[in-house]
Amino acid sequence: MLPSSPLTELEAELYALTHRGNPGDGEFYARQCAGVGSVLELGTGYGRLLPALLGAAHEVVGLDRERSLLRAARRRLPGARGRLSLVEADMQTFALGRRFDRILLPYNALYCLLGRRALVSCFRSVRAHLAPGGTFCFDVWAADSFQRRVRRREAQRDEPGAIVSLAHRGQIWDVFERSRLRSASQRLDVTYTYVSRQRGTRVQIPIAQRYATSWELKELLARAGLRLRARWGGFSGQPFGPSSELFVAVACA
C-alpha cells in the first residue's frame, strides 16, 4: 500500500512500522526472482523486500514516488550500491530506458492506482520494460467476494478502531484505522491515525485505494498486451477460488 500524500520523516518511519507485508510474500518474490539478472520492484517503499530480492537476483532497481520512503530504503541497505538502484518515479508512467527479467508490484500497491485508465497505463509501462521471456508478478487482497457482498451499499464509513501499539522514538504510539467504502466506484479509503501516549501527538496517514476484481485485472492486463499466466490464492501456490483472501498473479507478454 502507498500513502496518498508526501510523508515527513516521522510519518515514513511510522508507516514502515505498520505496513509489514503478508506472511510468505518475501519468500514468494525471492523464488520468482531466483537467479535472474535484473529485477524492478514498483512501489518499493522503505525497502522491505529489497534484502530478499538482492539475495535472489544479480541486480535490483526499486522505484517509488515517495522520497522519504526511498531515503529510508537507502538507510536500510547502505552496502548494496552497485547492485541496487533506487529511482523516484510514478509507477503509472515510468520510463527507465531498459528492460528487466522480473517486474514486481507487491502488497496491494496496485490498488493505489485509482482508476481503470491508471491501471492500464501502469500495465503498459510494465509491458514496455519486460525483457523477452520476462514476467510481471503482483499480489493484492482478493476483492471478488468483497465486491459481491458490498455491491448494494452506496457508501459506508467505519468508526476508528485500534489495531496495534508501537514503540518508536522513545514513545508508545497507539494506531487507529478508519475506512470509508464507496462500492459504486470500488473505492476503499483508509486513514491511519497514530497517537503518542506520552505527548498526545497525532499523526495521520491517508491511503486511497481502488480495488479490482480478478476478472477486471485479467481484462486490463490483456488491454495492455499482457497475459495472465498463473494465479493463486496465496504465496504457497494455493488454488485461487471464491473464498481466497489473496490474489497472487504472474503475467507475461
Side-chain angles (χ1 to χ4, degrees):
M1 294 184 287
L2 301 174
S4 304
S5 57
L7 300 179
T8 66
E9 183 176 343
L10 173 60
E11 290 168 344
E13 292 166 355
L14 292 171
Y15 174 90
L17 289 170
T18 311
H19 298 91
R20 310 301 296 175
N22 291 309
D25 63 352
E27 294 85 351
F28 168 80
Y29 285 109
R31 288 195 303 271
Q32 293 295 319
C33 298
V36 305
S38 57
V39 174
L40 170 63
E41 184 192 9
L42 305 177
T44 198
Y46 62 91
R48 179 179 64 88
L49 290 180
L50 291 179
L53 300 180
L54 286 165
H58 297 288
E59 179 197 5
V60 178
V61 175
L63 181 150
D64 205 286
R65 71 184 182 194
E66 178 51 59
R67 186 172 301 175
S68 61
L69 292 177
L70 289 174
R71 285 197 295 265
R74 288 189 181 94
R75 291 194 296 269
R76 182 182 178 89
L77 293 160
R81 292 180 181 178
R83 296 183 54 222
L84 172 66
S85 301
L86 296 175
V87 178
E88 184 181 343
D90 189 329
M91 66 182 176
Q92 182 179 329
T93 56
F94 61 96
L96 304 182
R98 57 171 297 191
R99 295 176 181 266
F100 297 86
D101 299 309
R102 298 287 184 272
I103 299 180
L104 317 178
L105 187 48
Y107 193 38
N108 307 315
L110 191 64
Y111 286 170
C112 294
L113 298 169
L114 302 180
R116 290 169 61 89
R117 184 177 298 177
L119 283 167
V120 172
S121 178
C122 175
F123 292 158
R124 285 177 175 156
S125 296
V126 167
R127 174 68 180 85
H129 288 77
L130 271 181
T135 56
F136 172 43
C137 311
F138 64 91
D139 73 276
V140 290
W141 58 268
D144 295 14
S145 60
F146 178 80
Q147 178 67 354
R148 285 193 295 270
R149 289 196 306 271
V150 305
R151 190 170 292 161
R152 292 185 175 86
R153 302 182 196 173
E154 181 56 32
Q156 177 179 319
R157 187 185 295 272
D158 293 339
E159 291 301 315
I163 58 171
V164 73
S165 296
L166 306 169
H168 183 59
R169 293 193 180 186
Q171 302 175 64
I172 302 298
W173 299 82
D174 295 316
V175 187
F176 300 85
E177 179 185 73
R178 182 176 187 175
S179 61
R180 182 189 181 193
L181 169 67
R182 288 171 283 176
S183 60
S185 55
Q186 295 175 214
R187 283 289 296 266
L188 183 62
D189 298 337
V190 181
T191 300
Y192 294 90
T193 302
Y194 302 78
V195 182
S196 168
R197 293 184 188 176
Q198 287 75 19
R199 301 180 183 177
T201 307
R202 296 173 65 90
V203 174
Q204 285 196 328
I205 300 177
I207 297 179
Q209 301 178 71
R210 180 195 179 271
Y211 58 87
T213 61
S214 61
W215 54 89
E216 182 181 11
L217 291 173
K218 182 178 180 180
E219 172 201 339
L220 298 180
L221 284 165
R223 188 180 298 182
L226 294 168
R227 174 175 58 88
L228 189 62
R229 191 170 81 179
R231 64 176 187 172
W232 301 284
F235 296 110
S236 299
Q238 304 94 316
F240 179 78
S243 60
S244 295
E245 295 183 1
L246 292 174
F247 180 75
V248 182
V250 174
C252 57

